[in-house]
Amino acid sequence: MYTEERLQIEGYDSRPVPNLFFGQEEGTTRLAVLLPGYAYTADMPLLYYTTTLFLENGYDLLQVQYNYQRQAAFRVPVDEASRQWLLADVRAAVTQALAQGAYESVVVVGRSLGTLAMGDLLETGGLPATTRRVWQSPLFKDQRLSEQICRHRPRSLFITGTADAHYQSPLREQVREAVPREWLVLPDARHDLEIAGSIPRTLAVMEEVICATARFTGCAGCD
């Protein structure tokens, strides 16, 4: 079993960073951090089941629940000021999450907007060198992100769909050449990793994503 609490996290401009921290009652040496998308929150299907996967496998888990949609100054697509805002919030969240225990295994899962923060974290540090990174719908059209990934070549699982405009970016091929493993490319999946007009195929994609994440991180539940 696990407990739920809100951590006191001070981010950009000394503002609180919304979050929910799940802690294993018996203690653990494993931590997962979830960085949602701008509109795809931690409560939506893929991230809900990602959360469940890690909790059932004995991880502590921090959901960063930023509410940029309610902040008029936050721009999407992100400008430089918004990117620094995002990075400040995520760095503060990661620091606070790591302080909750003596973790030997760390996983960061980022989705869409969250992948920009993951790229910037590669530059600024703050995570163990052994951290595994799961990139859901990474923003390959962002040149800085693609360059960061190619430069640092992190231990990664990339999950993307062929109907996602970011998949079509030529920068995606550069990333794949630099980090050839692991990739899950989903035919016809959009940026939200759903299949237009087909609920059954969308559910099958969801299963693929969760099981690929389980295999990559050594979690049980998809045997």
Side-chain angles (χ1 to χ4, degrees), residues 4-85:
E4 299 180 20
E5 63 176 308
R6 307 282 179 181
L7 301 182
Q8 298 300 310
I9 303 175
E10 188 176 281
Y12 178 78
D13 199 25
S14 300
R15 303 178 189 183
V17 179
N19 70 90
L20 184 58
F21 181 77
F22 301 84
Q24 298 289 335
E25 290 183 345
E26 296 182 357
T28 182
T29 59
R30 292 181 282 187
L31 171 70
V33 178
L34 241 60
L35 307 176
Y38 177 74
Y40 199 103
T41 69
D43 295 325
M44 296 181 78
L46 277 174
L47 294 185
Y48 169 80
Y49 285 111
T50 299
T51 294
T52 302
L53 173 71
F54 287 116
L55 292 179
E56 290 184 348
N57 279 272
Y59 281 73
D60 285 352
L61 185 139
L62 177 67
Q63 292 179 345
V64 182
Q65 300 178 330
Y66 33 64
N67 58 352
Y68 300 131
Q69 288 176 295
R70 300 180 182 177
Q71 307 293 330
F74 194 94
R75 304 298 184 197
V76 174
V78 294
D79 55 15
E80 187 57 32
S82 297
R83 192 164 191 150
Q84 292 305 314
W85 183 347

Side-chain angles (χ1 to χ4, degrees), residues 3-223:
T3 60
E4 299 180 20
E5 63 176 308
R6 307 282 179 181
L7 301 182
Q8 298 300 310
I9 303 175
E10 188 176 281
Y12 178 78
D13 199 25
S14 300
R15 303 178 189 183
V17 179
N19 70 90
L20 184 58
F21 181 77
F22 301 84
Q24 298 289 335
E25 290 183 345
E26 296 182 357
T28 182
T29 59
R30 292 181 282 187
L31 171 70
V33 178
L34 241 60
L35 307 176
Y38 177 74
Y40 199 103
T41 69
D43 295 325
M44 296 181 78
L46 277 174
L47 294 185
Y48 169 80
Y49 285 111
T50 299
T51 294
T52 302
L53 173 71
F54 287 116
L55 292 179
E56 290 184 348
N57 279 272
Y59 281 73
D60 285 352
L61 185 139
L62 177 67
Q63 292 179 345
V64 182
Q65 300 178 330
Y66 33 64
N67 58 352
Y68 300 131
Q69 288 176 295
R70 300 180 182 177
Q71 307 293 330
F74 194 94
R75 304 298 184 197
V76 174
V78 294
D79 55 15
E80 187 57 32
S82 297
R83 192 164 191 150
Q84 292 305 314
W85 183 347
L86 171 66
L87 176 58
D89 286 351
V90 170
R91 285 188 68 184
V94 166
T95 298
Q96 191 62 255
L98 290 171
Q100 302 307 307
Y103 299 113
E104 298 174 2
S105 177
V106 178
V107 178
V108 178
V109 181
R111 175 171 180 81
S112 190
L113 179 71
T115 65
L116 294 185
M118 289 172 67
D120 287 335
L121 286 172
L122 291 172
E123 301 282 86
T124 61
L127 285 166
T130 56
T131 298
R132 301 187 190 202
R133 293 166 170 85
V134 180
W135 312 72
Q136 290 187 5
S137 300
L139 301 183
F140 289 127
K141 292 172 68 175
D142 185 277
Q143 184 167 350
R144 185 193 303 182
L145 173 61
S146 297
E147 290 174 351
Q148 289 166 334
I149 296 170
C150 291
R151 183 159 51 248
H152 293 277
R153 302 187 181 192
R155 189 176 186 182
S156 295
L157 168 63
F158 296 97
I159 302 172
T160 184
T162 62
D164 183 350
H166 288 273
Y167 176 81
Q168 306 299 330
S169 169
L171 295 174
R172 186 257 310 165
E173 273 305 310
Q174 295 179 21
V175 172
R176 189 154 194 172
E177 289 177 8
V179 190
R181 298 179 60 190
E182 305 281 337
W183 285 74
L184 176 62
V185 178
L186 300 157
D188 302 323
R190 306 175 306 198
H191 188 67
D192 58 6
L193 296 181
E194 296 185 7
I195 308 296
S198 179
I199 293 174
R201 289 184 67 198
T202 293
L203 293 175
V205 162
M206 189 180 305
E207 182 179 10
E208 281 192 74
V209 170
I210 297 304
C211 288
T213 302
R215 290 190 295 270
F216 176 67
T217 57
C219 289
C222 283
D223 299 330

